Structures are given as structure tokens and as C-alpha cells.
């Protein structure tokens, strides 16, 4: 199997991170991989906000958890050292699809650098709600922007169990 296939098949969502910081160099490469993802109509509307500050992150986590009410989601970012918020022009019909492609490019880039990631969707409703307005502003989003997806990045403390894939999802016509 070639290296790319190996990365695609062996990537797992990491939910246990060490405290070791992610280097600026690694983060720059991961962001570069995201920025070079293909985008519909080459519009490149997806924007990425990098959140490292532990204090801001703790306040965000508390606000999300208070609004969401699901105690098991309070630790939605699993204490990862770097969290990325992806967002963009809400009226662009491909913003969610493009974000998905950008985020997966970054996940695979991180994997190639020996880092773990997990894509995060559970904060979506919060960041699109009235209660999320303050946080959208902090992130740098405007009224025209829609939060799409997040990404945890960090050093892997322990690997995640492989989730088997469902059979029969391909049809040959
Ligand atoms: C759009 C999207 C949103 C996700 N949101 C979350 C999330 O909020 N919390 C979480 O722990 N995992 C989240 N995941 C990770 C999935 O649960 C994970 O990819 C799936 O269980 C398969 O496991 P694997 O990535 O280890 O192969 C999300 C994945 C995607 C693609």
C-alpha cells in the first residue's frame, strides 16, 4: 500500500491528547494543506480561525456546555492544544461541502506529521444560535458568516479503536 492510501485507511479520530504543544511549523503545514483544498467554483470562501489560548478555550467550553446542556459534551475538544473553527459566507451554497474537504485535507496533513485530529460538529448549533453571537464575534465571524465545522489537533496520547465501515455502500452500474 502506498503512503497516501495508508494515511487514508489508518487515520482515526483522536480523543485523547497529550499536553505537548503543536509546533508553529506543523500548524503552518496543516493550514497550508487546508488552504490548497479544492473549492467549488474556486471561490475559496472557507476561513479558518486558530484557537490556542487555554483561557479563552475554557470560557468557550463553559458557554457551550451551559447552552447545550449535555454534560458529556462539556469536553467537546478533548483538551487538544489547537482547535480550528471553519466558517465562511453563509449564502455560498457549497460552504459546508468545501469546509468538509478543507477539514479532511488538514486531518490527513496532521496525520502525516504524526499528529492526531478529530473533526468536531457538535458545537455547530451553539455557534449558529443567539447564544453563540458573542463567540462568533470573538472568532472573527461577521453576520454574513456561517460556522461549519471544527478540528481538534494535538499529539496522540492513546489511539482510538477502529470503527468498522458498513458494507454495501458502493454500487456498480
Ligand atoms: C462532520 C463530522 C462531525 C463530527 N463531529 C464529531 C463531534 O462533534 N465529536 C466527536 O467526538 N467526533 C466527531 N466526529 C468524528 C466521528 O465520530 C468519527 O469520524 C467516526 O466515528 C469514525 O471514526 P474514525 O474517524 O476514527 O474513523 C465528526 C466527524 C465528522 C465527519
Amino acid at each position: 500500500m502506498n503512503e497516501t492510501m495508508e494515511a487514508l485507511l489508518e487515520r482515526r479520530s483522536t480523543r485523547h491528547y497529550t499536553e505537548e504543544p503543536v509546533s508553529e511549523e506543523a500548524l503552518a503545514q496543516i493550514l497550508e494543506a487546508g488552504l490548497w483544498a479544492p473549492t467549488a467554483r474556486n471561490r475559496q470562501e472557507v476561513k479558518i480561525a486558530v484557537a490556542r489560548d487555554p483561557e479563552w478555550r475554557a470560557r468557550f467550553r463553559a458557554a457551550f456546555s451551559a447552552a447545550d446542556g449535555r454534560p458529556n459534551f462539556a469536553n467537546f475538544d478533548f483538551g487538544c492544544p489547537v482547535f480550528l473553527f471553519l466558517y465562511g459566507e453563509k449564502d455560498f451554497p457549497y460552504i459546508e461541502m468545501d469546509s468538509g474537504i478543507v477539514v479532511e485535507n488538514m486531518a490527513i496533513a496532521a496525520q502525516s506529521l504524526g499528529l492526531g485530529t478529530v473533526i468536531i460538529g457538535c458545537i455547530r448549533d451553539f455557534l449558529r444560535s443567539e447564544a453563540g453571537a458573542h463567540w462568533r464575534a470573538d472568532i472573527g465571524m461577521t453576520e454574513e458568516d456561517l460556522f461549519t465545522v471544527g478540528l481538534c489537533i494535538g499529539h496522540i496520547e492513546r489511539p482510538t479503536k477502529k470503527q468498522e465501515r458498513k458494507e454495501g455502500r458502493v454500487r456498480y452500474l
Side-chain angles (χ1 to χ4, degrees), residues 15-82:
R15 296 190 180 84
H16 298 277
Y17 296 93
T18 69
E19 286 180 6
E20 189 181 342
V22 172
S23 71
E24 288 300 337
E25 195 191 1
L27 180 60
Q29 288 187 74
I30 293 165
L31 293 169
E32 185 79 346
L35 297 177
W36 277 92
T39 59
R41 301 176 194 157
N42 192 27
R43 283 272 301 266
Q44 304 178 34
E45 294 286 352
V46 180
K47 299 190 178 73
I48 307 164
V50 181
R52 279 191 188 272
D53 178 6
E55 277 174 29
W56 185 90
R57 297 265 307 277
R59 281 189 280 119
F60 178 86
R61 207 180 291 122
F64 164 63
S65 149
D68 186 82
R70 283 176 288 187
N72 56 329
F73 272 14
N75 187 30
F76 78 92
D77 63 1
F78 308 101
C80 66
V82 176

Side-chain angles (χ1 to χ4, degrees), residues 11-13 15 78 118-122 149 160 163 165:
R11 181 213 52 80
R12 295 278 76 79
S13 293
R15 296 190 180 84
F78 308 101
V118 55
I119 296 171
I120 296 296
C122 67
V149 76
T160 314
Q163 304 282 336
R165 292 330 194 216

Side-chain angles (χ1 to χ4, degrees), residues 101-165:
I101 296 166
V102 169
V103 85
E104 179 65 359
N105 253 27
M106 294 196 288
I108 295 296
Q111 154 128 345
S112 78
L113 298 169
L115 294 164
T117 61
V118 55
I119 296 171
I120 296 296
C122 67
I123 54 174
R124 195 173 74 154
D125 290 349
F126 173 63
L127 272 174
R128 292 179 180 187
S129 72
E130 199 52 46
H134 163 83
W135 302 97
R136 287 196 295 276
D138 266 14
I139 289 166
M141 296 172 62
T142 70
E143 287 302 308
E144 280 69 52
D145 288 325
L146 184 75
F147 167 78
T148 51
V149 76
L151 186 70
C152 294
I153 308 173
H155 290 267
I156 302 170
E157 184 193 78
R158 61 185 143 100
T160 314
K161 197 172 149 277
K162 184 176 173 181
Q163 304 282 336
E164 290 306 332
R165 292 330 194 216

